[in-house]
Amino acid sequence: GGPAPSVPIPASTLNVRSTPSTRGNTPLGRFPQGTLLQVLRGPAQANGLTWLEVSGGGVSKGYVAASFTQSALCSGGGANPAPPTTGGGGTPPAAPPVAGGANRTDHPPGL
């Protein structure tokens, strides 16, 4: 039970597709930055990417590449919580580097 988890779109735009693939699959549309999507299923691996089945932003069901969302559901799927602060007004520690460019917001619009 419970409500479906949701994921925000941090990138400038994110393509939504009818199937979990970029091969021969024209996007149904694009979600703008800040769109909040409900996760229906996933994560699932297909064609070398991790995909989430989502709804929202005017789409009843579609697939997005999880690496372009801020999903904590996916291992390496783009979830990057804020680094902890030291408390007491100190300087927060430097954020560790992100493997695979999970924080990219300049991705090509092909996905």
Side-chain angles (χ1 to χ4, degrees), residues 20-23 44-51 65-68 76 111:
S21 176
T22 58
R23 296 183 188 149
Q45 297 291 318
N47 299 95
L49 293 170
T50 300
W51 297 88
S67 60
F68 295 107
L111 285 178

Side-chain angles (χ1 to χ4, degrees), residues 7-103:
V7 294
I9 305 302
S12 58
T13 60
L14 178 63
N15 287 338
V16 58
R17 298 178 179 277
S18 60
T19 62
S21 176
T22 58
R23 296 183 188 149
N25 185 359
T26 302
L28 297 171
R30 291 181 184 215
F31 294 124
Q33 182 177 20
T35 302
L36 193 60
L37 303 173
Q38 296 299 312
V39 177
L40 303 175
R41 290 189 196 164
Q45 297 291 318
N47 299 95
L49 293 170
T50 300
W51 297 88
L52 298 173
E53 183 179 344
V54 298
S55 68
V59 174
S60 60
K61 182 176 110 173
Y63 294 86
V64 296
S67 60
F68 295 107
T69 69
Q70 291 178 340
S71 174
L73 301 172
C74 306
S75 171
N80 293 300
T85 61
T86 58
T91 303
V98 177
N103 280 337

